Amino acid sequence: AQKVTQAQTEISVVEKEDVTLDCVYETRDTTYYLFWYKQPPSGELVFLIRRNSFDEQNEISGRYSWNFQKSTSSFNFTITASQVVDSAVYFCALSEAPKTSYDKVIFGPGTSLSVIP
Amino acid sequence: DGGITQSPKYLFRKEGQNVTLSCEQNLNHDAMYWYRQDPGQGLRLIYYSQIVNDFQKGDIAEGYSVSREKKESFPLTVTSAQKNPTAFYLCASSRQVNNEQFFGPGTRLTVL
C-alpha cells in the first residue's frame, strides 16, 4: 500500500534561515513518482517538482532544493534563506506507475511553514 | 491561457439542498480529481477520473456524485446526504495519474 508521511505538522523559522521539510514514503512498486506542492494562503496548490524513482539526482532550483534518497524512502525539501513569501502549506505526494483505472495519487498531510520577518 | 477554472468561488447552501460545483480544464488532460480540504487539514480525495466516461470513488465519496461526459469537464454534486459539506473544494487535472496535477482556485462551500 502507498503511504506518505510528513511528520512535521508546523514549522516556524525566522526570515533568512534555512529550513528542511521532511517527506517519507512507502510503496511496493519499483517505478513511482514523487511530487511537492505549495499551498499559499490563497488556497490554490502550486506544483513545485516531480521526480521519478529512477532519478536519484538531487535538484536545485533557485533557493529550493530536493534530496531524494531511495535507501531511506525520503524526498526532503530544503528552502535556503527563507522569505516571508515562502509561508505556506507544503504537500508531498506519491503515485505509482499507472496500471488500472483505480490508480491514484497519495498526498501527505502537509507541513505548515511560517516564516517570521 | 491554459488552466483550470472552478466556479463559483464562494457558494452558500441551505441544508437539504443539492449543489453542483463546476470544474473545467483546457489543458487536454485525461485525469481529473476532486479534493476536499477542511480548515487546517490536508487534502482528502472525493472522486477521480482517469478517462472520459469513467470515474472512481476516492476516500470520502459518500454524499457526493460526479460525471465525466466530456474530457474538459468534471462537475461535483454535493448532495443532501453529505452531512457536513462546509469545506474548501479543489479540482485538479493531470495528463495521466503519474504526472503533476494542476489545481483550480477552489470553491468555498458554506452550509447555512
Side-chain angles (χ1 to χ4, degrees):
Chain A
Q2 304 174 73
K3 186 178 179 182
V4 176
T5 302
Q6 294 179 257
Q8 305 148 308
T9 306
E10 295 181 5
I11 301 176
S12 288
V13 297
V14 176
E15 201 171 18
K16 297 184 185 174
E17 286 184 347
D18 299 347
V19 58
T20 295
L21 310 182
D22 298 333
C23 173
V24 174
Y25 61 91
E26 293 178 28
T27 177
R28 294 183 191 152
D29 266 20
T30 55
T31 302
Y32 53 89
Y33 304 84
L34 296 162
F35 309 83
W36 275 96
Y37 293 86
K38 174 182 179 180
Q39 185 179 35
S42 62
E44 184 172 338
L45 272 80
V46 176
F47 162 74
L48 296 177
I49 189 170
R50 172 182 184 252
R51 178 52 52 87
N52 75 56
S53 53
F54 298 109
D55 182 3
E56 285 193 75
Q57 272 195 327
N58 290 332
E59 180 151 343
I60 298 174
S61 176
R63 296 184 297 105
Y64 294 172
S65 63
W66 290 269
N67 182 4
F68 177 28
Q69 292 202 341
K70 286 175 80 169
S71 60
T72 56
S73 297
S74 65
F75 187 43
N76 296 338
F77 173 32
T78 297
I79 302 174
T80 303
S82 60
Q83 300 176 3
V84 173
V85 293
D86 296 326
S87 296
V89 180
Y90 291 87
F91 292 96
C92 180
L94 163 72
S95 75
E96 296 171 347
K99 308 171 200 65
T100 74
S101 61
Y102 294 92
D103 294 318
K104 58 185 178 180
V105 177
I106 303 298
F107 279 81
T111 296
S112 178
L113 173 65
S114 296
V115 180
I116 303 163
Chain B
D1 279 79
I4 300 182
T5 56
Q6 289 186 245
S7 61
K9 189 170 183 179
Y10 297 96
L11 185 58
F12 298 90
R13 186 194 97 171
K14 291 182 181 178
E15 281 195 34
Q17 284 183 337
N18 292 357
V19 289
T20 297
L21 281 57
S22 167
C23 177
E24 304 277 330
Q25 54 100 358
N26 61 3
L27 300 167
N28 200 32
H29 285 171
D30 284 319
M32 296 189 74
Y33 315 81
W34 273 105
Y35 296 93
R36 169 179 172 144
Q37 188 174 34
D38 293 284
Q41 304 296 311
L43 303 174
R44 292 190 289 171
L45 182 64
I46 306 173
Y47 269 98
Y48 61 108
S49 167
Q50 287 196 26
I51 200 167
V52 176
N53 292 323
D54 185 45
F55 50 83
Q56 308 298 337
K57 292 182 179 180
D59 303 314
I60 55 164
E62 186 175 348
Y64 299 98
S65 66
V66 293
S67 63
R68 186 86 189 277
E69 297 173 2
K70 298 187 298 182
K71 188 175 187 177
E72 53 274 16
S73 179
F74 192 40
L76 173 74
T77 297
V78 185
T79 74
S80 56
Q82 171 47 239
K83 296 305 176 192
N84 186 20
T86 295
F88 186 51
Y89 291 86
L90 284 158
C91 179
S93 73
S94 64
R95 250 187 329 124
Q96 292 181 26
V97 71
N98 59 319
N99 291 113
E100 57 272 25
Q101 293 184 21
F102 292 84
F103 284 80
T107 292
R108 204 165 292 276
L109 173 64
T110 303
V111 173
L112 302 173

